[in-house]
Amino acid sequence: MNGPKVIAYDLGTGGIKASLFSAAGEILESVFISYPTHFPQPDWQEQAPDDWWNAVVRSTRELLKKSGVSPDEIVSLAISGHSLGVVPIGKQGQLLRRTTPIWSDQRAVREAEEFFSRTDYRAWYERTGNGFPPACYSVFKIMWYRTHEPEMFAAIDRVIGTKDYCNYRLTGRLCTDASYASGSGVFDLRAWQYEPAYIQAAGLDPSIFPEILPSDAVVGTLTEEAARETGLNPRTKVMAGGVDNSCMALGAGGIRAGEIYTSLGSSAWIAAIGDAPVIDFERKPYVFAHLIPGLYTSATCIFSAGNSFRWVRDTLCADLLQQEKETGRNAYDQMGELAGSSVAGANGVFFNPSLAGGSMLEPSPTICGAFAGLQLGHTRADLIRAAMEGIALNLRIALDLLQSYAPVTRDMLIVGGGAKSAFWMQLFADIYNLPIVKTCIDQEAASLGAAALALKGAGLWSGYDRIAQLHRIEKRFEPDADRAAFYQEQILPRFRQLTRLLSEF
């Protein structure tokens, strides 16, 4: 345990994971702290920036206590943060809004329409790669602030992202990195900088957007107040960090063009690493700048994967949650066993997982999730299996889109919490009709990406080649030919039909 160490923070939608890493990139200990999402109105999804900061403080202190490591051994830290945040900071450095919209908030529809009345949508997408529904992107949420909260807007000095707010509380410096800035709605992917014409079209002062640093650049060291709150040494270096999509890409071993992986967490996406962004105006894959300059993470996503499965657990399996509390037996493990007692196709039950609305992958951003095909003879096991199949089928549609640009001829790595379920991984192998690989890095991919930034920024690593060595294959899942054909020929077409119907509902 002796020697220099770093802390990586995975600031996700559901909470933050603080992880301690050795100089070799091995995870030594981790702590998770949750925080809530608020839904004050339809299409509004907000979190409190101070909840993020308090989670950083609490997780850091618990991590130090749990590991027994001296703060003097922590040489640096970096944060992976969920995207498209808009945290307004005032001219006196104060937080101007208690809660702020997160990535999935879509209140700014009218502001996006106003912007595109002056700017060609296709040209904007092809330059920015911003393929989510436009209202999700930061610039339009900032325009919403101006329209609906003019007094607050007038007091703004900078608008920063999620992990950038935590970096600000740690160091006192307002900045971001290219990966996070690439979700601002005003970032030119190929020029690797803000596009002045788009800032002008939004009617905003360019100074409202923070300076852009390399992801592994040192933002600064801890302020005395931050060191006191977290228990860390004030000499600890803080790296700029990155957006979660790009941190996960790095942690999944995506350090060169041609790599591909599936992330199965609260939301889910399939990402391909390339030296050029994948741009398709008709189907709109979304792109983030990679943490490594010159690379891009192009992806297709669904907004609700693990979140929808959690809804199934909480709504249909409350007894399994109670058993988990009483016996320690994981409710998700029991759900997987129940799903395994059903059959491929869930006896005719279908589940569309779009409980958080649709990405650009769906025919409509207002699509809702649903169970379909229910009959009196169906069981809870059928519903659970249908939910697991529905998430995989939705991602199969995302895979088909990416494969139209670069056919996948290698194993598919799956990372994220869902990778823990062997039953689900086999189901993915059958529905993708690809070999699925699970490595020892499942829920830790984003953390490993952030840790790599901290290690390189501190001078402990010279590059990122070591990441591939840290991925030890734990299991490989081969598709079953009969089930793969059944899903391809019988189930997938009906799932697509259900998706179209729900988009019109």
Side-chain angles (χ1 to χ4, degrees):
M1 289 280 287
N2 294 329
K5 297 169 183 67
V6 303
I7 296 179
Y9 299 89
D10 180 4
L11 183 76
T13 305
I16 193 168
K17 179 188 287 185
S19 300
L20 182 69
F21 282 81
S22 71
E26 298 169 332
I27 188 165
L28 304 174
E29 196 62 81
S30 64
V31 171
F32 179 79
I33 303 293
S34 65
Y35 38 72
T37 300
H38 308 280
F39 306 91
Q41 295 187 38
D43 296 326
W44 291 31
Q45 299 184 30
E46 300 182 347
Q47 290 183 349
D50 282 341
D51 284 349
W52 308 329
W53 172 246
N54 292 334
V56 168
V57 169
R58 182 179 164 192
S59 63
T60 305
R61 287 193 166 274
E62 290 191 17
L63 188 65
L64 292 173
K65 181 178 179 180
K66 189 175 179 181
S67 66
V69 167
S70 166
D72 293 339
E73 296 180 61
I74 311 299
V75 297
S76 62
L77 61 88
I79 306 175
S80 162
H82 59 82
S83 61
L84 317 185
V86 280
V87 183
I89 303 299
K91 294 176 173 57
Q92 282 73 51
Q94 74 277 30
L95 176 65
L96 295 175
R97 212 172 188 270
R98 189 185 68 81
T99 59
T100 61
I102 61 171
W103 64 275
S104 49
D105 186 286
Q106 296 193 50
R107 73 186 66 187
V109 171
R110 290 186 179 179
E111 285 69 27
E113 291 173 349
E114 174 192 341
F115 178 88
F116 292 120
S117 71
R118 298 187 291 271
T119 302
D120 182 74
Y121 181 27
R122 181 170 191 148
W124 173 84
Y125 166 72
E126 291 179 348
R127 180 168 287 193
T128 65
N130 291 166
F132 283 167
C136 292
Y137 285 98
S138 303
V139 65
F140 307 116
K141 295 169 184 172
I142 298 171
M143 292 170 66
W144 187 94
Y145 283 160
R146 181 181 61 197
T147 300
H148 297 274
E149 300 178 1
E151 291 186 10
M152 185 277 288
F153 179 81
I156 289 176
D157 179 40
R158 298 283 191 282
V159 178
I160 56 178
T162 56
K163 56 92 180 176
D164 303 321
Y165 178 73
C166 296
N167 285 347
Y168 172 56
R169 294 294 299 265
L170 287 164
T171 68
R173 186 174 179 184
L174 293 167
C175 60
T176 191
D177 79 301
S179 73
Y180 210 98
S182 65
S184 65
V186 294
F187 185 88
D188 185 328
L189 281 172
R190 294 168 182 83
W192 214 262
Q193 63 187 16
Y194 296 125
E195 171 49 57
Y198 292 150
I199 297 175
Q200 182 178 5
L204 297 173
D205 188 322
S207 68
I208 205 169
F209 296 95
E211 67 171 319
I212 299 172
L213 302 178
S215 303
D216 53 14
V218 178
V219 172
T221 55
L222 301 190
T223 66
E224 291 185 7
E225 181 181 359
R228 185 171 59 252
E229 288 192 61
T230 61
L232 293 172
N233 190 305
R235 294 190 299 274
T236 305
K237 296 176 180 178
V238 178
M239 307 306 152
V243 73
D244 54 2
N245 286 259
S246 297
C247 284
M248 189 166 286
L250 182 63
I255 65 171
R256 57 184 59 87
E259 302 292 339
I260 190 167
Y261 72 95
T262 295
S263 170
L264 186 56
S266 297
S267 59
W269 60 85
I270 305 176
I273 314 306
D275 50 19
V278 174
I279 299 295
D280 180 334
F281 182 66
E282 296 305 318
R283 295 179 287 184
K284 297 183 183 66
Y286 65 92
V287 186
F288 284 99
H290 199 286
L291 307 180
I292 300 173
L295 291 180
Y296 302 89
T297 302
S298 302
T300 49
C301 78
I302 61 175
F303 281 173
S304 192
N307 275 344
S308 291
F309 198 48
R310 184 184 304 115
W311 176 88
V312 172
R313 182 198 66 179
D314 296 347
T315 306
L316 302 180
C317 304
D319 59 321
L320 303 185
L321 273 175
Q322 184 60 36
Q323 289 179 34
E324 181 177 312
K325 292 177 183 178
E326 294 172 355
T327 68
R329 191 172 177 220
N330 188 279
Y332 285 126
D333 291 342
Q334 297 182 69
M335 291 170 70
E337 291 176 9
L338 283 169
S341 69
S342 181
V343 297
N347 286 310
V349 180
F350 286 78
F351 177 75
N352 185 291
S354 303
L355 272 62
S359 68
M360 296 305 280
L361 187 67
E362 278 82 30
S364 169
T366 60
I367 186 175
C368 296
F371 281 104
L374 290 170
Q375 295 179 336
L376 290 174
H378 285 126
T379 67
R380 178 168 67 168
D382 294 327
L383 271 64
I384 295 170
R385 183 174 186 122
M388 300 178 88
E389 288 182 341
I391 293 166
L393 287 163
N394 223 15
L395 284 167
R396 167 59 192 269
I397 295 172
L399 175 63
D400 287 347
L401 171 56
L402 283 181
Q403 289 213 93
S404 66
Y405 296 98
V408 179
T409 57
R410 45 162 288 175
D411 297 349
M412 173 67 75
L413 172 68
I414 295 189
V415 298
K420 291 181 175 294
S421 169
F423 172 79
W424 213 354
M425 294 304 94
Q426 182 59 56
L427 195 151
F428 267 96
D430 295 338
I431 289 177
Y432 278 13
N433 197 17
L434 286 172
I436 298 296
V437 169
K438 180 194 177 300
T439 73
C440 58
I441 310 296
D442 42 41
Q443 287 182 287
E444 312 301 337
S447 296
L448 177 57
L453 295 177
L455 289 162
K456 185 172 182 294
L460 297 173
W461 283 12
S462 60
Y464 299 113
D465 289 338
R466 292 192 190 184
I467 293 175
Q469 303 168 17
L470 297 170
H471 279 267
R472 297 184 300 276
I473 295 178
E474 294 185 342
K475 194 159 185 181
R476 192 169 185 267
F477 301 86
E478 294 286 349
D480 177 88
D482 290 339
R483 287 195 300 267
F486 174 69
Y487 283 118
Q488 172 74 32
E489 297 166 10
Q490 302 292 326
I491 301 300
L492 187 58
R494 296 174 67 191
F495 181 83
R496 290 180 183 273
Q497 182 182 18
L498 174 62
T499 299
R500 288 193 296 271
L501 290 171
L502 290 172
S503 298
E504 299 168 1
F505 186 73

